[in-house]
Amino acid sequence: MENKMFDFDHVPDRRGTNSYKWDLPEIKDAIPMWVADMDFKTAPCIIEALKKRVEHGVFGYTFVPDSYYEATVNWFSRRHGLSLKPEWILYTSGVIPALSAVIKALTKPGDKVIVQTPVYNHFFSSIRNNECIVTENPLIQRNGSYEMDFEDLEEKASDPDVKLLLLCNPHNPAGRVWSSSELKKLGYICARNNVIVVSDEIHNEIVFPPYKYVPYGAVSDDFRANSVTCCSPTKAFNIAGLQIANIFCENTEMREAINKALNVNEVCDVNPFGVIALIEAYTNGESWLNELIGYIYKNYQYVRETFESQLPEMPVMRLEGTYLAWVDCSVLEMASTEIMSEILEHAKVKVNDSEMYGAPNGEFIRLNLAAPFELIKEGTDRIIATLKFLLNKRLD
């Protein structure tokens, strides 16, 4: 019998808690399989540490203690083989503010920034908000997954106006966990062309066997010295609302520029709960995290196998990491925004469309699998019923 230490099958009702995922008026009575937070309580050690802090009753300004840096350094060294020094770490309120500060620090208006589409939608806004230009290096869809187009990347990176590449590792929404060899190819291209790699690694903890997350900064010392990594425990431990993230930057000149940008953007302060939660996650949360990963993987297996058996015309892309499934609905020959609307109206399930991620054909939907199995099962069955209806309607 499987030995379970934690309960992922039962969660409190999140409605009425001002939950962005559950409480928006347009998704009333719908199953929310969209926004990337999880419908699980966070690790018990985090809850207990936060309870203790709340009982203190005073919530004034806080500073980040040495134990914060120690927990971060030890976690990445032990779990991921990434060597860090405390002085390389800059804290901020989230990975999106981190990315925006890095772009502000390392570019000037009019510079170009490469993104590998389809990709996390806030990459586009962070680039444009800093008056830079998006340059797309589209991923290649092949054999139920995605690959990098290195030939196109070489061409795009050779443009002298390109200053940065935003890497998504693991990749949202494609579900890829980039291998060391892929990261090396990308890194060598960027190094040859003086392009700085900025790696968003917020989904780094949710990786399924046999795949292994490789931090970009762990591929080589040279890559680490000429890159910036943005990460946070918020996705893996479901603490996004506590707003805490880190920037890893070895290069002193770049780090000082980024620190200045954090202050200019006024995202240089964090709250005490985020600090405590990160320390607990990285110190005592590993057993909870490992069990969580196994639970989400079983959800993914159900979703993929159910689509394969009931609706093979719309395959689920191979999910190596993240808890976000990417479903190919191109057979419908409909815009994903329209597919999303039909699913919400008829299935009463909220999903994400693919146009927001810069998907070339905009015919995918994204499903959040980080919820109790019964909720995932119900949502999946409803979605498939609606997609079958749409497919039959198109074929009639």
Side-chain angles (χ1 to χ4, degrees), residues 45-92:
C45 63
I46 295 176
I47 294 172
E48 290 305 311
L50 293 176
K51 282 181 179 178
K52 183 177 179 180
R53 183 65 181 83
V54 167
E55 288 171 358
H56 181 261
V58 179
F59 311 115
Y61 298 115
T62 191
F63 72 91
V64 174
D66 290 344
S67 56
Y68 177 97
Y69 300 99
E70 292 168 2
T72 303
V73 169
N74 291 339
W75 176 270
F76 277 87
S77 174
R78 182 183 74 253
R79 190 170 173 92
H80 302 303
L82 177 63
S83 296
L84 298 170
K85 294 183 179 179
E87 58 266 28
W88 298 350
I89 302 172
L90 299 171
Y91 57 81
T92 186

Side-chain angles (χ1 to χ4, degrees), residues 82-382:
L82 177 63
S83 296
L84 298 170
K85 294 183 179 179
E87 58 266 28
W88 298 350
I89 302 172
L90 299 171
Y91 57 81
T92 186
S93 56
V95 165
I96 297 170
L99 290 170
S100 293
V102 171
I103 295 169
K104 179 185 285 292
L106 303 182
T107 65
K108 63 181 185 301
D111 284 345
K112 296 179 180 179
V113 180
I114 295 174
V115 297
Q116 297 178 301
T117 50
V119 76
Y120 181 48
N121 52 302
H122 282 286
F123 278 17
F124 302 104
S125 57
S126 290
I127 293 167
R128 291 169 179 148
N129 288 345
N130 283 286
E131 300 181 61
C132 291
I133 299 167
V134 173
T135 297
E136 295 190 29
N137 168 226
L139 299 174
I140 299 170
Q141 186 182 345
R142 183 175 290 145
N143 298 325
S145 187
Y146 284 87
E147 301 173 3
M148 293 189 190
D149 188 337
F150 293 108
E151 184 177 346
D152 181 73
L153 177 58
E154 185 82 63
E155 179 183 343
K156 301 290 173 59
S158 66
D159 183 342
D161 290 333
V162 170
K163 305 302 180 184
L164 305 179
L165 178 145
L166 298 191
L167 174 67
C168 198
N169 177 39
H171 193 282
N172 169 22
R176 279 300 316 279
V177 178
W178 302 118
S179 67
S180 180
S181 61
E182 288 171 310
L183 295 175
K184 283 180 181 177
K185 289 180 182 178
L186 177 143
Y188 288 138
I189 290 172
C190 290
R192 281 197 299 272
N193 292 283
N194 297 312
V195 174
I196 298 169
V197 175
V198 181
S199 189
D200 172 359
E201 303 188 358
I202 194 171
H203 288 281
N204 66 329
E205 305 298 348
I206 309 296
V207 175
F208 309 120
Y211 305 99
K212 180 176 174 55
Y213 155 67
V214 180
Y216 182 78
V219 176
S220 80
D221 291 345
D222 289 341
F223 288 0
R224 188 183 64 230
N226 194 44
S227 67
V228 181
T229 296
C230 303
C231 66
S232 171
T234 54
K235 292 296 183 191
F237 289 90
N238 203 26
I239 52 173
L242 299 184
Q243 299 193 322
I244 192 74
N246 287 317
I247 300 169
F248 304 154
C249 183
E250 178 181 350
N251 184 292
T252 302
E253 184 178 350
M254 288 198 301
R255 189 171 66 251
E256 289 176 351
I258 294 166
N259 190 44
K260 180 178 179 181
L262 290 171
N263 282 271
V264 169
N265 287 355
E266 297 184 346
V267 287
C268 52
D269 292 318
V270 290
N271 72 77
F273 301 109
V275 173
I276 290 167
L278 181 144
I279 293 170
E280 281 298 319
Y282 286 163
T283 304
N284 299 309
E286 195 159 13
S287 59
W288 180 91
L289 176 62
N290 290 339
E291 192 169 314
L292 168 80
I293 292 169
Y295 191 95
I296 294 174
Y297 185 65
K298 289 182 179 179
N299 283 352
Y300 160 65
Q301 287 178 309
Y302 173 82
V303 172
R304 179 158 185 162
E305 290 168 3
T306 304
F307 268 86
E308 284 178 350
S309 64
Q310 297 188 25
L311 194 59
E313 300 89 345
M314 301 185 204
V316 178
M317 296 293 100
R318 185 174 71 241
L319 188 63
E320 301 173 358
T322 83
Y323 48 74
L324 305 165
W326 192 238
V327 184
D328 185 352
C329 302
S330 56
V331 68
L332 293 177
E333 298 181 350
M334 295 169 61
S336 66
T337 49
E338 186 177 356
I339 298 170
M340 176 187 68
S341 296
E342 292 283 347
I343 291 172
L344 181 59
E345 180 179 355
H346 298 290
K348 297 299 181 185
V349 181
K350 174 66 172 174
V351 302
N352 287 112
D353 68 85
S354 60
E355 292 173 40
M356 66 192 293
Y357 305 107
N361 299 317
E363 297 170 335
F364 289 76
I365 56 172
R366 193 188 78 167
L367 312 180
N368 182 339
L369 307 183
F373 172 75
E374 289 302 322
L375 195 68
I376 297 300
K377 182 180 184 301
E378 175 68 20
T380 301
D381 294 348
R382 290 190 197 180

